[in-house]
Amino acid sequence: MVENYEINSSTLAIVPISKNVSKVIEEEDIITVNKTTTEIIDNSCKFFGSSYLGRHEGTKNLIGINYKAPIVIEESNDIIFFPTSSPRFDNCYWISLKKILKYNKEKGKTTIIFKNGYELPINISAGSLENQILRSTLLESVLRSRKIS
């Protein structure tokens, strides 16, 4: 188990295991971290020069979303993560937008299939997941248009 972890371009998802322990799923590895999922998000934002609250405020200003807001972890590599529930809850997963290949709807849950073939079942409706993907894509689009102009 590690104490600290910074999200990087190979991070797929951050999954809660228990109250203060998370599993980080990377393309080639799975790491157990002695922090909540949102603490890992906050530490990663700070590593790249901001904070979770700062990035959250940025999302709110850019696309007007305040609840279950997607977060830009690192801008130059378009690392955007979104929560599957309110980040205040212990069961909140964080998913990398860029790493999703597709998802399968199942009874009462959805399985995300990442580009490397890893499958992650989540207790979230397909509609909620689609909404989070759309919000994250909107954030990505607004950021991209600002870089171009």
Side-chain angles (χ1 to χ4, degrees), residues 1 3 12 22 40 51 57 82 85 92 98 123 132 148:
M1 186 174 319
E3 290 298 315
L12 306 178
S22 301
I40 294 169
S51 67
E57 192 67 25
F82 62 84
S85 65
C92 179
K98 269 175 64 168
N123 287 328
Q132 288 304 92
I148 295 167

Side-chain angles (χ1 to χ4, degrees), residues 68 82 84 103-106 108-110 124-135:
K68 293 196 321 188
F82 62 84
T84 58
Y103 54 91
N104 293 331
K105 302 174 186 180
E106 296 164 28
K109 66 177 180 178
T110 306
I124 182 176
S125 70
S128 288
L129 179 64
E130 287 165 359
N131 191 40
Q132 288 304 92
I133 291 170
L134 284 171
R135 293 166 147 210

Side-chain angles (χ1 to χ4, degrees), residues 41 44-45 48 50-52 54-56 58-59 62 69-82 94 136 139-140 143 147:
I41 292 288
S44 297
C45 289
F48 292 111
S50 187
S51 67
Y52 169 70
R55 294 294 195 184
H56 186 273
T59 297
L62 287 169
I71 299 295
V72 177
I73 304 294
E74 200 275 318
E75 224 173 303
S76 66
N77 291 311
D78 293 326
I79 300 176
I80 296 172
F81 274 68
F82 62 84
W94 285 88
S136 303
L139 177 60
E140 181 184 42
L143 286 172
K147 285 180 190 174

Side-chain angles (χ1 to χ4, degrees), residues 14-19 37-38 83-94 122-123:
I14 307 165
V15 177
I17 295 175
S18 63
K19 186 147 179 74
T37 59
T38 305
T84 58
S85 65
S86 170
R88 293 190 311 267
F89 298 140
D90 292 337
N91 65 344
C92 179
Y93 289 45
W94 285 88
I122 301 178
N123 287 328

Side-chain angles (χ1 to χ4, degrees), residues 17-50:
I17 295 175
S18 63
K19 186 147 179 74
N20 291 309
V21 179
S22 301
K23 174 172 68 173
V24 176
I25 302 163
E26 290 188 339
E27 290 171 340
E28 303 290 330
D29 202 7
I30 295 178
I31 301 156
T32 305
V33 183
N34 201 20
K35 296 228 180 301
T36 66
T37 59
T38 305
E39 285 173 331
I40 294 169
I41 292 288
D42 187 38
N43 289 344
S44 297
C45 289
K46 288 175 179 169
F47 181 79
F48 292 111
S50 187

